[in-house]
Amino acid sequence: MKALFLLYDHYVDWEISPLSYIFSVTNVEIETAALQEEVTHSGKFRIRVDRTLNECRVSDYDILVIPGGDPEPLLEEEALLNLIREFDQENKWIAAICGASTLLGKSSVLRNRLYSTSIDITEFPSCFDPVYQSKADTTVCENLITAEGSAYVEFAVEVGKQLNLFNDREDELETMLFFKNLLRG
């Protein structure tokens, strides 16, 4: 299995860190992509990505992961929106947390689907239909997995669950407890 993490300037790194860890311990191959060769995340670290968006072939991946951050500068980036559309057209998983749901809305893949987000959707009326906003921390609707930014652990576990990465329910719960710091030694 292979995952593509779509990174961009000022993305929120901790919203995808638990998921990247789950992928790494379950042998899911990870590649990173961005509009340019290097991005700076919200913690001010510069990250050199594996490839630019124009080098990505959707057929090479099983899931697209998009972290939260400030989506506004990306809303007119057709290469990015087309990549999201292509993942959806091929019915591949798309996992988006917090502000990344705005990109799903702008690319029209939220069409009449339930979604979760931390974004004030009234600020992006062309991206969201309020009728379909879920009150849940994480929402799975068809091939989309969305989450509020504060539910980054739940998001990671839900993605792992949908991809069948856990051995069983106990493995899933232990992972949740590990990230929530609830395991007692």
Side-chain angles (χ1 to χ4, degrees):
M1 184 170 292
K2 193 171 184 180
L4 179 64
F5 281 70
L6 175 61
L7 306 181
Y8 53 93
D9 281 329
H10 310 294
Y11 76 91
V12 180
D13 57 308
W14 48 265
E15 289 179 345
I16 57 171
S17 291
L19 179 57
S20 65
Y21 176 78
I22 289 171
F23 282 174
S24 71
V25 299
T26 57
N27 298 316
V28 174
E29 187 179 346
I30 297 171
E31 285 191 355
T32 56
L35 291 165
Q36 63 277 0
E37 293 179 357
E38 190 174 272
V39 296
T40 303
H41 70 57
S42 62
K44 306 288 190 234
F45 286 98
R46 283 190 314 241
I47 306 296
R48 186 167 190 76
V49 296
D50 296 313
R51 60 190 70 254
T52 60
L53 284 186
N54 61 357
E55 298 172 315
C56 294
R57 289 190 345 223
V58 171
S59 60
D60 292 341
Y61 305 99
D62 300 291
I63 184 170
L64 174 64
V65 178
I66 312 171
D70 180 9
E72 198 158 7
L74 303 172
L75 292 177
E76 303 305 321
E77 292 290 346
E78 281 303 313
L80 184 148
L81 299 175
N82 286 334
L83 181 78
I84 295 169
R85 288 181 193 115
E86 192 174 342
F87 265 86
D88 188 52
Q89 289 164 355
E90 293 194 21
N91 202 35
K92 294 192 176 211
W93 286 107
I94 302 171
I97 185 166
C98 195
S101 58
T102 308
L103 298 171
L104 301 186
K106 183 66 176 183
S107 65
S108 301
V109 303
L110 284 183
R111 66 188 178 287
N112 303 327
R113 293 173 168 169
L114 288 176
Y115 63 89
S116 293
T117 187
S118 302
I119 292 291
D120 178 356
I121 65 172
T122 62
E123 292 181 21
F124 300 94
S126 66
C127 297
F128 296 106
D129 184 339
V131 170
Y132 295 99
Q133 185 176 15
S134 172
K135 297 195 184 313
D137 290 341
T138 61
T139 300
V140 178
C141 189
E142 299 171 20
N143 62 317
L144 303 181
I145 304 166
T146 54
E148 294 187 0
S150 62
Y152 54 94
V153 172
E154 292 84 350
F155 173 70
V157 171
E158 188 62 49
V159 171
K161 181 178 166 183
Q162 295 303 317
L163 297 178
N164 297 312
L165 298 180
F166 299 113
N167 296 324
D168 51 31
R169 177 79 172 134
E170 184 176 332
D171 186 25
E172 176 188 332
L173 292 173
E174 284 179 10
T175 302
M176 178 71 78
L177 294 174
F178 170 78
F179 283 111
K180 291 290 194 174
N181 197 24
L182 297 174
L183 290 180
R184 303 285 183 230

